[in-house]
Amino acid sequence: MTKGGMESVEVFTSEGKGRGLKAQKEFLPGDVIFAEPAYAAVVFDSLTHVVCHTCFKRQERLHRCGQCKFAYYCDRTCQRAAWLNHKNECSAIKRHGKAPTENIRLAARIMWKMEREGSGLSEGCLVSIDDLQNHVENFGEEEKKDLRVDVESFLEFWPPQSQQFGMQYISHIFGVINCNAFTLSDQRGLQAVGVGIFPNLCQANHDCWPNCTVIFNNGNHEAVRSMFHTQMRIELRALSKISPGDELTVSYVDFLNVSEERRRQLKKQYYFDCTCEHCKKQIKDDLMLAVKEGDNKPSAETVKEVIQFSKDTLEKINKARLEGVYHEVVKLCRDCLKKQEPVLGDTNLYLLRILSIASEVLSYLQMFEEAADYAKRMVDGYMKIYHPNNAQLGMAVMRAGVTHWHAGLIEAGHGMICKAYAILLITHGPSHPITKDLEVMRVQTEMELRMFKQNEFMYYKMREAALKNQKIQVMPEPSNETAPSLFHKKE
C-alpha cells in the first residue's frame, strides 16, 4: 500500500510484531525515507506562552490569539496557518472558561479533524486513526483511572454543537495518544516542547539498534515568498544502508541502558517484549557493566557497593538540580567519581552518567577545563556503546566540542565539532538549525586552529582580547530533563 509522498515504503505484517513498514527501494545513510506533517499536535501545558503553537519554535516574543488569549504564535504567518486547527479549539476554550490539559487538547484536535475529514484515510496516510493500536486492554488500574479522568474532562470541554462520539471511541483516542504520541522538540532539538500524532510513523516497529532515526523539523516560515515556506514535520531518516524489502525500524528508548532495563521500559510503556538481536544476545551489556580489569580487579561485593553508592548519588543530584544548587551537584559528582574510578570500567553506565552530569554542570558554571576532561571521557565511552550514527551521540559530541573550545583546547574541540557535524549531517540533515549552527562552529574552529598552529602565543592573545570584548557564550542552564525521547509518555 502506498500513498502520496509515501511511495518508497509499504505497510506489511511483521512476524510477531503486527504491522510494520518496509522499504520499497534502496536508501543510503542520511536519506529522508519520508516526511510526515502532524495529524494533530499541541504544546505542553507548561510552555503554552513561550512556544509557537504552529511551528513549536521557542521565541522571546510571541503574538497572542486575541479571542481565547491562550494560543501564541511567532507572527501572523504562523497564526494564519494555525486557524483551521485552532478555530474550534478557540471557541471551546472561550466557552469552557479555560484551556484543558495537553492530553485533552490533543484528543479534541484529533476529533475536530475527523469531524472535518471523516475518520477514514487522510491524504498521505498509510493507516487511519481508527486502525492505530490503543492497548487499552493492557492498562493497569492506575492507567484505567487516568483514562476515566481524561474522558470525563474531555466530555466537559467538548462543545455540544460538535459531532458527538461514544465513550468507547473517546477511550480509543486516549489509548492511541498514550502509546503513539511523539515528542516534539524546539528548533535546537534540546528541549521537548509538545506532543503530536503521526500515523505513518506509528507503523515503524522498534529495534534497539535501528536502521532509521526520527527527527522533528519545525519548518521554516521566514522566506518572504510563501512558496518557499516549509511546514512542521517529522522526517524518517536512514542511519545505515537499507535494501528494498528491509524492515524500517526506529528505537523507542535510549540505547544507553542494559538490555534487561530496556526490555522492562518497553514492556511498561509500549506493552511488548523486545526480541531484537541486541536484547536477545545482550550485545554491549558487558561494556555497560564493565569493571576494572587486571591485578587490582575489584571484588563482586565492592562493585555492588559502588553501584549502590552511584544510584544513591544520582538521586541526591536530581534533588540538588531541581533546587538549582549546582555547586552541590559538582561536589556530589566529584565524590562519586573518586569511588567509581578505581572500580568501574571506562564504559560503565554509572560512570558515564556521572561524567555527563559533571561536564554539563561545570560548563554552565564556566569551569571549562575540568568540564572538558569529563566530557572527553564521556564521549570516549559513548563511542564504544552507541551506533556510530546515533543522534544522541552526535549531540553529546557537539556539547563536548563546545566545552573544549571554551577551555581553550582548540585542537580537540575542532576534532569533536567535525565528528559531531558528520553524525548530524546523517541524523538531522544539512538544513536543520542544529547542523547549520555546527557548520558555523566548524568553520570558526578551523580558522582558529590554523591561527593557533601558525603562532600559538598570538592566538591566545587574540582569543583573550576577543573574549574580553564579547559576552562569553554561556552554556545553557542544565536541564533536569533527559534529551527528548522519541515517543511521549504521560507521567
Side-chain angles (χ1 to χ4, degrees):
M1 185 202 299
T2 58
K3 208 84 178 158
M6 302 293 297
E7 301 79 12
S8 50
V9 300
E10 72 168 326
V11 176
F12 77 114
T13 304
S14 174
E15 199 180 328
K17 293 197 266 186
R19 280 191 305 255
L21 290 180
K22 68 177 171 187
Q24 295 271 61
K25 60 175 216 179
E26 182 179 89
F27 293 101
L28 297 174
D31 283 351
V32 176
I33 296 165
F34 67 77
E36 180 183 14
Y39 185 88
V42 295
V43 174
F44 285 149
D45 295 338
S46 56
L47 300 169
T48 51
H49 57 296
V50 291
V51 170
C52 172
H53 290 219
T54 296
C55 67
F56 291 76
K57 287 179 182 170
R58 223 189 147 98
Q59 306 282 16
E60 282 297 311
R61 297 187 61 189
L62 293 166
H63 296 262
R64 187 164 71 160
C65 171
Q67 297 286 313
C68 64
K69 310 275 193 288
F70 169 74
Y72 285 81
Y73 304 101
C74 296
D75 49 32
R76 295 274 171 250
T77 308
C78 277
Q79 191 162 3
R80 276 195 299 272
W83 186 240
L84 181 64
N85 289 312
H86 177 57
K87 190 177 167 185
N88 294 105
E89 177 186 73
C90 190
S91 56
I93 289 170
K94 281 195 293 181
R95 187 187 74 87
H96 190 57
K98 64 178 199 293
T101 62
E102 63 218 28
N103 247 27
I104 313 299
R105 288 185 285 120
L106 184 56
R109 282 191 166 216
I110 290 170
M111 293 200 226
W112 277 315
K113 185 160 181 168
M114 284 180 173
E115 190 177 51
R116 287 196 308 271
E117 300 177 2
S119 63
L121 280 179
S122 286
E123 189 189 347
C125 281
L126 297 169
V127 289
S128 70
I129 295 285
D130 288 2
D131 290 333
L132 293 178
Q133 285 190 303
N134 61 47
H135 287 294
V136 171
E137 72 281 2
N138 300 116
F139 279 17
E141 279 314 305
E142 201 57 39
E143 287 171 309
K144 282 179 185 160
K145 200 171 114 192
D146 290 344
L147 177 63
R148 283 195 293 273
V149 171
D150 277 347
V151 171
E152 279 169 30
S153 304
F154 174 83
L155 290 169
E156 282 173 28
F157 176 66
W158 190 248
Q161 69 274 21
S162 289
Q163 181 185 337
Q164 296 305 303
F165 295 91
M167 296 283 272
Q168 202 172 347
Y169 193 75
I170 298 168
S171 298
H172 165 72
I173 296 297
F174 280 112
V176 164
I177 290 170
N178 185 60
C179 57
N180 293 288
F182 177 80
T183 305
L184 310 179
S185 50
D186 62 3
Q187 62 271 41
R188 294 280 166 261
L190 299 173
Q191 188 190 12
V193 294
V195 56
I197 291 287
F198 298 81
N200 296 335
L201 173 64
C202 293
Q203 302 313 297
N205 282 318
H206 164 84
D207 194 297
C208 290
W209 200 258
N211 56 11
C212 298
T213 189
V214 185
I215 292 299
F216 180 61
N217 191 317
N218 302 77
N220 184 358
H221 291 162
E222 285 162 21
V224 177
R225 296 177 64 186
S226 60
M227 66 182 284
F228 296 118
H229 290 177
T230 56
Q231 70 185 132
M232 178 194 90
R233 63 201 181 274
I234 57 96
E235 292 171 351
L236 186 73
R237 306 179 72 93
L239 291 180
S240 49
K241 187 181 169 194
I242 296 169
S243 302
D246 285 356
E247 180 171 8
L248 303 169
T249 55
V250 294
S251 180
Y252 296 177
V253 293
D254 184 8
F255 184 69
L256 204 65
N257 270 310
V258 290
S259 52
E260 185 188 353
E261 174 58 21
R262 292 197 307 271
R263 291 176 91 160
R264 190 193 64 76
Q265 280 180 19
L266 290 162
K267 184 73 174 172
K268 182 173 177 248
Q269 296 187 354
Y270 306 104
Y271 314 102
F272 70 85
D273 296 302
C274 186
T275 56
C276 80
E277 208 61 10
H278 276 65
C279 280
K280 278 197 300 201
K281 295 182 178 170
Q282 300 178 339
I283 298 170
K284 305 228 175 197
D285 280 11
D286 56 338
L287 286 173
M288 295 192 236
L289 298 170
V291 295
K292 282 273 187 270
E293 292 297 331
D295 300 340
N296 297 327
K297 188 175 177 180
S299 67
E301 195 52 45
T302 305
V303 173
K304 199 174 158 188
E305 276 172 27
V306 170
I307 296 292
Q308 192 51 53
F309 183 81
S310 303
K311 286 178 179 174
D312 295 344
T313 300
L314 284 164
E315 277 186 30
K316 288 177 190 166
I317 285 171
N318 282 341
K319 188 171 176 289
R321 285 175 86 164
L322 282 170
E323 292 165 3
V325 194
Y326 295 121
H327 288 282
E328 178 61 19
V329 173
V330 171
K331 184 184 179 303
L332 286 164
C333 286
R334 286 176 182 150
D335 291 348
C336 193
L337 286 166
K338 271 195 197 107
K339 289 242 188 214
Q340 289 177 335
E341 280 159 354
V343 176
L344 305 182
D346 296 342
T347 53
N348 189 288
L349 269 183
Y350 289 99
L351 176 70
L352 293 176
R353 283 186 185 142
I354 297 291
L355 289 172
S356 170
I357 295 165
S359 64
E360 187 191 359
V361 173
L362 284 162
S363 290
Y364 175 66
L365 297 173
Q366 297 192 21
M367 297 160 81
F368 293 116
E369 282 180 34
E370 190 182 352
D373 175 49
Y374 295 149
K376 167 85 170 70
R377 289 165 60 194
M378 172 194 77
V379 162
D380 289 346
Y382 282 1
M383 295 279 217
K384 291 172 186 165
I385 292 174
Y386 275 119
H387 185 290
N389 290 334
N390 180 288
Q392 275 162 306
L393 172 65
M395 298 292 278
V397 178
M398 174 178 82
R399 283 195 297 271
V402 172
T403 300
H404 277 72
W405 178 83
H406 274 295
L409 303 164
I410 186 67
E411 212 157 344
H414 177 66
M416 285 179 183
I417 284 165
C418 288
K419 175 74 189 159
Y421 184 65
I423 297 171
L424 265 61
L425 270 180
I426 289 169
T427 59
H428 290 63
S431 63
H432 197 284
I434 303 175
T435 322
K436 284 180 170 172
D437 282 355
L438 254 181
E439 168 66 352
V440 171
M441 282 189 242
R442 193 175 68 86
V443 170
Q444 184 186 334
T445 54
E446 193 174 325
M447 193 173 66
E448 288 187 25
L449 186 57
R450 271 205 303 272
M451 200 190 295
F452 173 77
K453 284 181 172 170
Q454 281 164 5
N455 188 330
E456 214 172 302
F457 175 75
M458 273 311 289
Y459 166 74
Y460 281 118
K461 277 285 171 216
M462 285 174 76
R463 180 188 166 87
E464 211 174 300
L467 288 176
K468 267 182 192 159
N469 290 332
Q470 68 171 68
K471 193 171 165 225
I472 188 162
Q473 179 203 339
V474 177
M475 306 296 268
E477 185 165 354
S479 158
N480 293 315
E481 302 168 28
T482 49
S485 57
L486 182 58
F487 288 102
H488 171 68
K489 292 302 291 179
K490 199 174 87 165
E491 293 306 322

XYZ file of all heavy atoms in Angstrom, residues 95-124:
235
model
N -15.765 29.119 25.663
C -16.991 28.577 26.269
C -16.685 27.918 27.621
O -17.409 28.070 28.598
C -17.623 27.554 25.316
C -18.999 27.033 25.737
C -19.471 25.899 24.839
N -18.761 24.659 25.092
C -19.117 23.760 26.017
N -20.162 23.961 26.767
N -18.413 22.664 26.188
N -15.546 27.179 27.660
C -15.163 26.394 28.847
C -14.587 27.283 29.951
O -14.584 26.905 31.124
C -14.133 25.343 28.405
C -13.814 24.308 29.433
N -14.765 23.509 30.007
C -12.625 23.924 29.982
C -14.183 22.677 30.868
N -12.889 22.922 30.878
N -14.083 28.453 29.558
C -13.522 29.376 30.555
C -12.029 29.247 30.740
O -11.374 30.149 31.238
N -11.471 28.084 30.369
C -10.012 27.908 30.439
C -9.609 26.755 29.525
O -10.457 25.944 29.123
C -9.551 27.643 31.876
C -10.061 26.339 32.494
C -9.473 26.194 33.900
C -9.500 24.793 34.451
N -10.726 24.170 34.751
N -8.312 26.693 29.227
C -7.824 25.611 28.347
C -7.634 24.342 29.177
O -7.121 24.406 30.296
C -6.510 26.021 27.715
N -8.023 23.181 28.634
C -7.793 21.924 29.367
C -6.340 21.465 29.196
O -5.541 22.135 28.542
C -8.762 20.955 28.685
C -8.887 21.472 27.287
C -8.697 22.956 27.350
N -6.006 20.310 29.761
C -4.622 19.804 29.697
C -4.267 19.379 28.274
O -5.138 19.182 27.427
C -4.445 18.586 30.624
O -5.323 17.550 30.162
C -4.760 18.917 32.064
N -2.943 19.183 28.055
C -2.443 18.842 26.711
C -3.095 17.583 26.142
O -3.405 17.510 24.948
C -0.915 18.703 26.726
C -0.397 17.588 27.600
C 0.880 17.905 28.359
O 1.161 19.073 28.680
O 1.598 16.940 28.654
N -3.335 16.579 26.994
C -3.953 15.328 26.527
C -5.351 15.571 25.959
O -5.726 15.053 24.913
C -4.059 14.342 27.691
C -3.157 13.150 27.497
O -2.139 13.251 26.818
N -3.518 12.031 28.082
N -6.128 16.387 26.679
C -7.499 16.708 26.266
C -7.455 17.537 24.977
O -8.222 17.301 24.044
C -8.254 17.516 27.373
C -8.078 16.894 28.758
C -9.718 17.704 27.003
C -8.573 15.496 28.946
N -6.538 18.522 24.945
C -6.434 19.373 23.749
C -6.057 18.552 22.512
O -6.580 18.786 21.426
C -5.410 20.497 23.981
C -5.905 21.568 24.932
C -4.945 22.733 25.052
N -3.774 22.438 25.845
C -2.516 22.495 25.396
N -2.272 22.845 24.147
N -1.494 22.233 26.198
N -5.143 17.583 22.702
C -4.717 16.762 21.559
C -5.870 15.873 21.079
O -6.142 15.781 19.878
C -3.492 15.918 21.938
C -2.881 15.069 20.813
C -2.506 15.916 19.596
C -1.657 14.306 21.311
N -6.577 15.242 22.031
C -7.727 14.400 21.666
C -8.776 15.232 20.924
O -9.333 14.800 19.904
C -8.338 13.767 22.918
N -9.034 16.446 21.404
C -10.042 17.309 20.776
C -9.617 17.684 19.357
O -10.437 17.655 18.426
C -10.251 18.567 21.627
N -8.339 18.001 19.173
C -7.862 18.354 17.821
C -7.992 17.173 16.858
O -8.322 17.357 15.684
C -6.404 18.830 17.881
C -6.300 20.257 18.392
C -4.919 20.837 18.203
N -4.979 22.285 18.408
C -4.269 23.162 17.720
N -3.442 22.766 16.778
N -4.373 24.450 17.953
N -7.715 15.972 17.363
C -7.859 14.766 16.524
C -9.323 14.629 16.089
O -9.631 14.402 14.918
C -7.395 13.505 17.294
C -5.874 13.525 17.487
C -7.827 12.223 16.564
C -5.349 12.455 18.450
N -10.246 14.820 17.036
C -11.665 14.599 16.733
C -12.272 15.709 15.883
O -13.149 15.450 15.082
C -12.431 14.357 18.020
C -11.973 13.035 18.636
S -13.110 12.336 19.792
C -12.004 11.917 21.089
N -11.773 16.938 16.050
C -12.249 18.004 15.149
C -11.781 17.751 13.714
O -12.488 18.030 12.764
C -11.776 19.373 15.637
C -12.656 19.940 16.707
C -14.029 19.965 16.708
C -12.249 20.553 17.938
N -14.493 20.550 17.866
C -13.427 20.932 18.641
C -11.018 20.832 18.527
C -13.393 21.560 19.884
C -10.978 21.453 19.757
C -12.153 21.812 20.432
N -10.581 17.201 13.598
C -10.092 16.881 12.253
C -10.953 15.773 11.640
O -11.279 15.806 10.452
C -8.617 16.461 12.306
C -8.031 16.235 10.912
C -6.522 16.305 10.906
C -6.000 16.105 9.500
N -4.585 16.428 9.355
N -11.336 14.792 12.459
C -12.216 13.715 11.979
C -13.570 14.265 11.567
O -14.156 13.830 10.585
C -12.416 12.677 13.077
C -11.228 11.789 13.265
S -11.588 10.638 14.553
C -10.151 9.624 14.418
N -14.049 15.224 12.341
C -15.331 15.857 12.043
C -15.274 16.534 10.663
O -16.219 16.455 9.879
C -15.635 16.890 13.135
C -17.026 17.463 13.111
C -17.261 18.429 14.275
O -16.420 19.356 14.470
O -18.240 18.259 14.983
N -14.122 17.154 10.375
C -13.950 17.837 9.079
C -13.729 16.873 7.925
O -14.258 17.033 6.839
C -12.726 18.774 9.125
C -12.887 20.012 9.924
C -11.805 21.036 9.593
N -10.435 20.537 9.652
C -9.680 20.543 10.749
N -10.189 20.996 11.881
N -8.443 20.105 10.726
N -12.901 15.833 8.182
C -12.429 14.992 7.071
C -12.964 13.560 7.084
O -12.680 12.798 6.170
C -10.893 14.935 7.091
C -10.245 16.286 6.939
C -8.715 16.203 7.025
O -8.181 15.082 7.159
O -8.068 17.264 6.937
N -13.675 13.185 8.152
C -14.093 11.779 8.287
C -12.966 10.981 8.926
O -11.828 11.431 8.988
N -13.289 9.770 9.394
C -12.272 9.006 10.132
C -11.510 8.032 9.239
O -10.727 7.222 9.718
C -12.917 8.252 11.306
O -13.838 7.313 10.786
N -11.755 8.098 7.931
C -11.028 7.192 7.025
C -9.594 7.648 6.828
O -9.042 8.392 7.634
N -8.977 7.212 5.722
C -7.585 7.558 5.453
C -7.466 9.025 5.049
O -8.133 9.472 4.127
C -7.038 6.695 4.311
C -6.601 5.274 4.672
C -6.104 4.563 3.434
C -5.502 5.292 5.719
N -6.608 9.768 5.756
C -6.333 11.149 5.362
C -5.332 11.122 4.216
O -4.623 10.136 4.024
C -5.697 11.909 6.526
O -6.649 12.178 7.488
N -5.230 12.234 3.534
C -4.292 12.313 2.418
C -2.861 12.060 2.915
O -2.421 12.624 3.909
C -4.364 13.714 1.788
C -3.584 13.801 0.488
C -3.468 15.223 -0.025
O -4.180 16.111 0.477
O -2.651 15.434 -0.925
N -2.168 11.149 2.225
C -0.777 10.862 2.596
C -0.633 9.896 3.757
O 0.473 9.558 4.158
